[in-house]
Amino acid sequence: MTSGLRNIIIAVLTFGGGTALLCILTLIHINQGNVSISVGTVIDAILSPENNLEHHTVRILRMPRAMMGIMAGGALAVAGVVLQTVTKNPLSSASTLGIHSGTYFAVVFSTVFFPAALIGNGIIAAFVGGILTFLIVFVLSGGNRTSPVRMVLAGMIVTFLFSSLTSVLQIFYENETAGLFLWGSGTLVQNDWSGVRFSLPVVAFGLIVILVMSFRMDTLTLGDDVATALGQNVHLVKFVSITAAVLLTSVTVSVVGPIGFVGLVAPHIIKLIGYRRHLPLIIASFIWGGNVLLFADVLARVIDPSFSELPVGAVTALIGAPWLIYLVLRMKRFKYGDENTSVIAGKSSASLSIKVVIPVLFIIILLTMFISLASGNYGFEPVLFWHALFGQSDDFMLGLVMDLRLPRALVALISGMVLAVSGLVFQGVLRNPLADPSVIGITSGAGVGALLTMYVFGVAAVWIPFGAMIGSILFFVFVMLMATRAQFQPTILALLGIAVSAFGQAIIQILVVQADMNVASALTWLSGTTYARGWSELLNYLIWPVVILLPLLMVRIRDLDTLSLGDDTAKGLGLKVMPVRFQLALLATLLAAFSVAAVGTIGFIGLIAPHLSRLLVGPSNQRLLPVTMLVGGALLVMADMLSRTLLAPNEIPSGILVAIIGAPYFLWLMRRRA
């Protein structure tokens, strides 16, 4: 077969086959619903409409949804093409760079504080939020000197930050943001043609601008210097292209919510076929982006035949997360396999005496515990607390301190310790200073197991930790298999962790919607909280890590120091590297699972505490273990105290507070190291 004939066949299959598939999926999509309508009736309703209920159902309810799916999927795919070209990052998309979380936060923020700014479905707020988010990620990851890994990691941390801020607004302004939870997970639900009429001109304008810029973007792939030598104004091309891409993202978010991974999957399908020039790449990506999103919406309604509306954004994450894993493993040798993420996490800058650090940390914890126990809805009340302890107060105050505040503070203390140690072990085992139970997906696996136990199997609450452990172990096994295949390269593991975590979060979103949880309580649990935690959580979930798992780790911590010398050296010293690595990671997984069972999915503690400890006492894991334990406990006790007192009598979930503090810290650190 000649190359010309082969190219024609590929073009026919890509464009003609893609269009035919789009038509088939559209017909299947329109035919789905509570009321079954035959394909013949659907075709009649489109070609020769009549004034009857079936034709109105097709034309007014189902067709707008299908058309919105095609436009939104196409727009997100084209935006992904532009972002990948301009950032020179094959893993760029509106979801991996945090643009979705920024646009979502901007819309929710405007809904609460500036409802007048929501003209045009909130597209202006979404556009401003998207542009600012892209600039934040681009600048903090190093600007033009950035690498794919830095940019995606910065996008991940920005996503954590904006998601936490959005959750705060949704929890405290539940009435103002009512109805935004499903939309925030991505949904194609349309009640008429208004969303399509609003989106069509904006999508058409953005697409035309990008098509006009397509030949100029071809030169960008040659490098900025070559493009400049060929007469291109590189900065103008990048500015116009990115603005158009964010506009396409913003219009989709304003109508259907943030739908992730379409901008990653569709462009790479076309690139795998062999297209590199931007004109055919953009057109084909638009067609296949529509296919991906329509397929996800069809699949959502197959998974849930009751048509209670699964969020299509969660389904695209179920499809896109494995795709991201495939891309990372496929391109690891060529793109970023040798980059060292330790420059992102920072290195030891001091080595203080452990005899000084540990007493100081104990004092900080005791002082924080005292403030926490003496604080309530009316602020800091040390006199009342003193009277309650020494019998000069009524039984109510004593019960308040001993039955509510004290066990809650102890739950926060031990959960923080457990999460911090889990993060330390994962960082040592995976040789990745950015490893953390939440970042590599272990926490989301535990969350999936806990929610399945609660809402699907409907068993007693005592089984929740077992469900969390099973879920976390399954995710742990998968992460370790991928880590082995990636030869434990730190950057690869960081990116794989993003994908695994996204997959778990998608399942959690689906379970929350299916369980019909109250939005505020769902967001609170998903964010992680110490609210209403007491002696039962302490005795049922947290006593076992303290009595069994932490002592085991203290005995095995020398192995972690040996692993840090490298596999060859460790083997030379007689260490069975793979079994030891697996055993230590399993212990860290069980620690994270018990914590999730007690306080939900709190992130960043396992990331921040080991890093701060290294800054204090250096890299030796034998010194790090007790210090990390105390730092993690102190951090979560402080977060618990602030969560109760900052906006008393209202309460911020502790996990959100940790993310709001931890995300800017790591972004600053990335910027300083960039």
Side-chain angles (χ1 to χ4, degrees), residues 30 75 106 216 230 365 538 557 669:
I30 292 174
R216 293 177 174 85
L230 292 173
I365 289 173
L538 198 65
I557 198 66
L669 195 62

Side-chain angles (χ1 to χ4, degrees), residues 341 423 426-436 440 489-491 493-494:
T341 45
F426 273 123
Q427 288 171 19
V429 167
L430 301 179
R431 299 187 307 190
N432 181 2
L434 292 173
D436 164 80
I440 63 174
Q489 295 179 55
T491 51
L493 288 174

